[in-house]
Amino acid sequence: MAGKRSVICVVKFLCGVGLGYYICYVLINGIGTLLIQFLNDAHGAISDSDNHQRRYLEGTISFNTRQHKDESRSLADDLYKRVRILCWVMTGPQNLEKKTKHVKATWVKHCNSVLYMSSEENKDFPTVGLDVIEGRDELNWKTVKAFRYISDHHLNEADWFLKADDDTYVIVENLRWLLSKYSPDQPIFFGRKFKPFVKQGFMSGGAGYVLSREAVKRFVDGFKTGKCTHFTSTEDLAMGRCLESVNVEAGDSRDTNKRDTFHPFPPEHHLTTSYLPKTFWYWNYCFYPTEEGPGCCSDLAVSFHYIDSKTMYYLEYLTYHLRPYGYKYRYNPDSEAKKLE
């Protein structure tokens, strides 16, 4: 009997060990999968669920601009006339209420003209219907058709043509300063330059990129002549490869202190040291040496990506309304450039 009980105890022990091992295996693999998903999506930690959006941002926010009526905007107003920017926003029917209307209420007001590119026409919003299927795999065709539409209908209305997503925030005045050094007749485009796959680099789609009028002409003609083809569904890479093949230069968008102006993530991702792990793909993609922490970003930053609807208004307030009392702007990029000469 004692021997039989010993065998039973051993069997129970082995079963317990096996069950415990299986449970640990499942837990470890589950946590590992979640961790990998988080690292592959640096924005995952601050995602804004659809329910949260509907609960807190059913309407838009309108700022009181009269409080700044005495400020001098002469330089910004002059650039508005001399550096005309058409902004087109990549969106879809499912995002008009969740995202795009908040873009419409904030930064695009500073563009010279705006187009909202979608798969379907919406005359009330309004959006341009491009007759494409919605989905990440269709972004390249959507971009090609958007620039083709612009070339056919709006090419002479602007000097520069900015593509931005419906979760990108852009400080348009800073973009005008960057572009004021160049001619729209020059075949060039700007954005956050990445280095793999294209010799001269390509621009991050999420951070937004801007093409000169001549670059738009060459991009559209590239598909007509066969120099550009639909070789990948990855929109920004396809754009970079096509523009290189039609001799459009990938410009340097950094400021006079060599700090980046276009940013593929929200401000806190770039400003916070070690927020983005060094194993993250981003560090291997950056074309130029890139800092993390406060040195990451230009005082004349142009864009940030993965901006949810609430943060659109935070950035609008911080950019155009918050003022430290008694200060004049201390950073003058033009005077910094003269020092370097």
Side-chain angles (χ1 to χ4, degrees), residues 39 276-284:
L39 293 178
L276 299 173
K278 288 300 182 181
T279 54
F280 192 53
W281 62 264
Y282 167 73
W283 301 109
N284 292 324

Side-chain angles (χ1 to χ4, degrees), residues 206-226:
Y209 47 79
V210 60
L211 278 66
S212 69
R213 190 189 304 115
E214 178 61 24
V216 173
K217 291 178 183 178
R218 295 192 182 195
F219 177 71
V220 173
D221 287 344
F223 281 92
K224 292 179 180 178
T225 60

